[in-house]
Amino acid sequence: MQCHSDQVVYMDNNATTRIAPEVVEAMMPFLTDCYGNPSSMHTFGGQVGQAVEQARESIARLIGARAEEIVFTSCGTESDSTAILSALQTFPEKRHIVTTRVEHPAVKSLCENLDNLTGHKHRITWLSVDADGTLDLESYRQALSDETAIVSVMWANNETGVLFPVEEMARIAKERGVLFHTDAVQAVGKVPINLGATDIDFLSLSGHKLHAPKGVGVLYVAKGTPFIPFINGGHQEHGRRGGTENVASIVGLGKACELAGANMEEENTRVRALRDKLEAGLLGSVPKSLLNGHAQDRLPNTANISFEYVEGEAILLHMNQHQICASSGSACTSGSLEPSHVLRAMGVPFTAAHGSIRFSLSTYNSEEEIDFVLEKMPAIIAKLRTMSPFWEENE
Ligand code: PLP
């Protein structure tokens, strides 16, 4: 199959990222010659085991953790489930969870389905956000109780890029003796993280959001945190996650973390400048367009913009004709268009939530690509609005 990635303008990096060429290069020996099992006693396997340990150290370095606090998983979703279910099993008498209304489905669906999954009744506090997508810490404080088994709050929102003050929230949880998990799938590699200086007990990350392959993730488990495995099996990961390691992807993730750590500040500055140019250009040239999410407390790569009175899906289809890849904040389910739960939680009006587009950039985007998108978007929106009955009424 040929995908012609050189012909697309890829601005959907919160969905997934290009694997860095350096990462592919680091992985190749483990897809070819170095196929030993890292748990084997012989040197052939032992070498592979060493590569896994090196990757563990590189990942730990990026997030200010110790190597032994890194548990490899298959993805961010598995890491999220593992952390939350571990806390519930550790404290079976505590049936309360605190989370937010804007979590990724990896946490949201799990919390919604916990009663079925565990056979126990749980109480979930869904913290609200304001119009900027930010949290109220006072409500958070009040939500914590002696019944709370775990708090799970994302570090950065995948749709808007809005950052939550998870370090402070973890400190507050610690004071109340409650475990704290953060889904940092969108934050790792884009935000400096030093877990050693925080009270965070669990952190989830995922390879494919930071230029490593799909199908590899990490759960950070702070030293001393009670932990019950989600996947039982062999003695891999010191008994914390059964299953033969996805060695090539783990090595790739290690390399991706080295790259992210080496270039984070300058890449953030460059990507933020591109994002700001795109955002200012779109808001300036398209009438009735607005930014969703806090203007400052946000990932440097994400711009979520609503184009009022048009459908996100229709915008994406027109962008697709110009090979521009992005995401919409609505999902077409069984014939009805459901606006994103994140935008709804922020109180974004329906007419704007339906027409929201998430542009998420990476280190591989160029200024020419920004100019190209800025050239195409106003005409796309204007054309769609000529077909929109709501636009005529509100023009
Ligand atoms: N959490 C967040 C915030 C995400 O953005 C994603 C992926 O989009 C996930 C979790 C799930 O990660 P994975 O695809 O590795 O399961």
Side-chain angles (χ1 to χ4, degrees), residues 14-15 75-77 80 104 106 154 156 158 183 185-186 206 208-209:
N14 288 9
C75 59
T77 304
D80 288 344
H104 185 273
M154 67 202 320
N158 46 300
D183 174 342
V185 164
Q186 294 292 346
S206 174
H208 72 109
K209 309 291 182 174

Side-chain angles (χ1 to χ4, degrees), residues 211-254:
H211 305 292
K214 298 163 187 64
V216 62
V218 159
L219 179 65
Y220 157 87
V221 184
K223 193 166 182 238
T225 303
F227 180 72
I228 297 178
F230 179 47
I231 296 185
N232 293 279
H235 56 269
Q236 293 91 352
E237 299 297 299
H238 295 286
R240 292 175 297 179
R241 201 271 188 183
T244 303
E245 296 86 343
N246 179 357
V247 172
S249 294
I250 287 171
V251 169
L253 178 53

Side-chain angles (χ1 to χ4, degrees), residues 87-232:
L88 294 180
Q89 279 180 274
T90 303
F91 307 112
E93 71 291 355
K94 297 188 178 186
R95 302 269 171 84
H96 177 228
I97 296 175
V98 176
T99 186
T100 79
R101 289 197 187 282
V102 295
E103 295 299 309
H104 185 273
V107 169
K108 181 174 174 278
S109 293
L110 178 75
C111 290
E112 283 166 354
N113 290 302
L114 269 179
D115 295 357
N116 293 338
L117 278 172
T118 62
H120 297 299
K121 197 109 200 84
H122 290 88
R123 185 166 68 82
I124 315 282
T125 299
W126 301 95
L127 298 171
S128 299
V129 293
D130 65 13
D132 277 342
T134 55
L135 283 171
D136 170 29
L137 286 190
E138 202 36 54
S139 320
Y140 166 61
R141 259 197 200 89
Q142 283 166 16
L144 296 174
S145 80
D146 295 342
E147 298 295 303
T148 314
I150 188 164
V151 175
S152 181
V153 172
M154 67 202 320
W155 198 310
N157 188 274
N158 46 300
E159 293 190 26
T160 59
V162 170
L163 297 164
F164 285 150
V166 287
E167 287 150 305
E168 193 177 347
M169 295 177 85
R171 193 180 45 72
I172 295 168
K174 177 90 167 192
E175 281 166 15
R176 291 297 308 261
V178 176
L179 290 179
F180 189 92
H181 165 248
T182 182
D183 174 342
V185 164
Q186 294 292 346
V188 172
K190 299 173 196 150
V191 172
I193 294 179
N194 182 12
L195 289 171
T198 74
D199 292 311
I200 292 168
D201 298 296
F202 295 110
L203 173 144
S204 305
L205 69 93
S206 174
H208 72 109
K209 309 291 182 174
L210 70 149
H211 305 292
K214 298 163 187 64
V216 62
V218 159
L219 179 65
Y220 157 87
V221 184
K223 193 166 182 238
T225 303
F227 180 72
I228 297 178
F230 179 47
I231 296 185
N232 293 279

Side-chain angles (χ1 to χ4, degrees), residues 290 292 306 308-309 339 343-344 346-356:
L290 41 108
N292 294 312
S306 279
E308 285 191 275
Y309 311 112
L343 300 185
R344 263 183 300 155
M346 289 161 62
V348 176
F350 258 58
T351 47
H354 272 302
S356 82

